[in-house]
Amino acid sequence: MTEQFGGTGHIAVLVNPASGRGFGAGSGHVAVGRLRERGVDVRVYQGVDAEETVALGRKAVDEQPAVVVVAGGDGTVSSVLQPVLEAGLPLAVIPGGTGNDLAREHGIPLDDPAAAADLALDGARKRVDTGTVTADDGTVRHFVTVLCAGLDSLTNERTNRMTWPTGPARYRIAVYAEWLRLKRFGYRLEPVGAPSLARDGYLLGIGLTRSYGGGVPICPRADPTDGLLDVTLVHAVGRFRFMAFDSLIKVGRHVDRPDVTTLRAPAIRVGAPAGLVAYADGEYVGPLPVTVEAHREVLTLCVPA
């Protein structure tokens, strides 16, 4: 932990109007109002879409704020993470996405944007891990929660296409829809410091934090400060046996099953049949193979004291 906000300099608030189908913008405006009520010099950066938000994120960092506040979901955080890390700035999160799993992990208020904004001023500073995903063409993407590939990434694709319902219920409905057309994938895992393995499975989660999809604990033993990726691979056990995993995953007990492989590694290369794509922080990453790496305690996050 480091010191709290010292009251000097301005605070940059980056608002993604596309997050949570507009929820991010509303949360951002509440946060801005709260910070200004407390006498803070606030500069607001709000684009018209996710792409402009990324450009504005770099502009916000270039103007050297004391704290960067991001109003949006996990995908918004990861999309602007690189300049924040390069500048070594503290990051505060105003949850405004669909899942908000980074906020869940660290106890940041989910439904109170004013209280979340207060953390930029009064919160403790906690050093947490981030991750990178490197494609074979050299493209690098950052993430802050969980990368998935399989039933879970197909579910993310379906979730992003759905307009109803909102919140975690949308993810659960998408899971059941994808279960009806369940596919098995031949995964190839090459973790650093551990033997490689090849196994048929239905879903793969690689987590810095415990949950994805709005609180689903796919990697229930993940530690966001240990510099390691928690890998969870659910084997291909048959459609109806797989039904039992739904209730187990909801409470994080699936990792105790013999038909689940878990491991920890600082980095891992993941391959699978052509056509399988990866998602991270609920956002599209690209097709496999990819190399995933954890970076220990490189982000300073504003969290409840």
Side-chain angles (χ1 to χ4, degrees), residues 18-42:
S19 284
R21 302 190 184 277
F23 183 62
S27 297
H29 294 155
V30 172
V32 169
R34 176 66 158 215
L35 293 170
R36 286 178 171 160
E37 284 175 5
R38 298 192 59 182
V40 177
D41 178 9
V42 179

Side-chain angles (χ1 to χ4, degrees), residues 7 33 43 48 83 140 167 175 186 218 236 242 254 258 260 263 302:
R43 300 182 191 177
V48 297
V140 178
V175 167
I218 188 65
F242 184 66
H254 57 292
V260 175
L263 60 91
C302 302

Side-chain angles (χ1 to χ4, degrees), residues 5-152:
F5 178 69
T8 60
H10 71 279
I11 287 182
V13 179
L14 182 67
V15 180
N16 182 1
S19 284
R21 302 190 184 277
F23 183 62
S27 297
H29 294 155
V30 172
V32 169
R34 176 66 158 215
L35 293 170
R36 286 178 171 160
E37 284 175 5
R38 298 192 59 182
V40 177
D41 178 9
V42 179
R43 300 182 191 177
V44 181
Y45 305 80
Q46 179 171 341
V48 297
D49 53 28
E51 289 72 20
E52 189 173 0
T53 299
V54 173
L56 288 174
R58 185 165 291 279
K59 179 183 178 183
V61 169
D62 288 345
E63 294 181 355
Q64 300 180 324
V67 181
V68 175
V69 177
V70 175
D74 300 324
T76 304
V77 172
S78 57
S79 72
V80 302
L81 193 59
Q82 184 171 344
V84 173
L85 293 175
E86 290 172 352
L89 294 171
L91 175 71
V93 178
I94 312 299
T98 301
N100 301 312
D101 288 287
L102 180 65
R104 293 173 192 276
E105 181 71 31
H106 297 286
I108 297 169
L110 298 177
D111 301 314
D112 189 343
D118 283 337
L119 297 178
L121 306 180
D122 308 325
R125 278 23 178 184
K126 181 179 182 181
R127 301 287 287 182
V128 302
D129 299 348
T130 66
T132 50
V133 188
T134 304
D136 281 0
D137 65 1
T139 303
V140 178
R141 297 279 299 269
H142 293 268
F143 73 104
V144 291
T145 59
V146 176
L147 176 142
C148 60
L151 173 67
D152 29 21

Side-chain angles (χ1 to χ4, degrees), residues 217-228:
I218 188 65
C219 302
R221 297 169 184 161
D223 178 349
T225 64
D226 65 1
L228 298 174

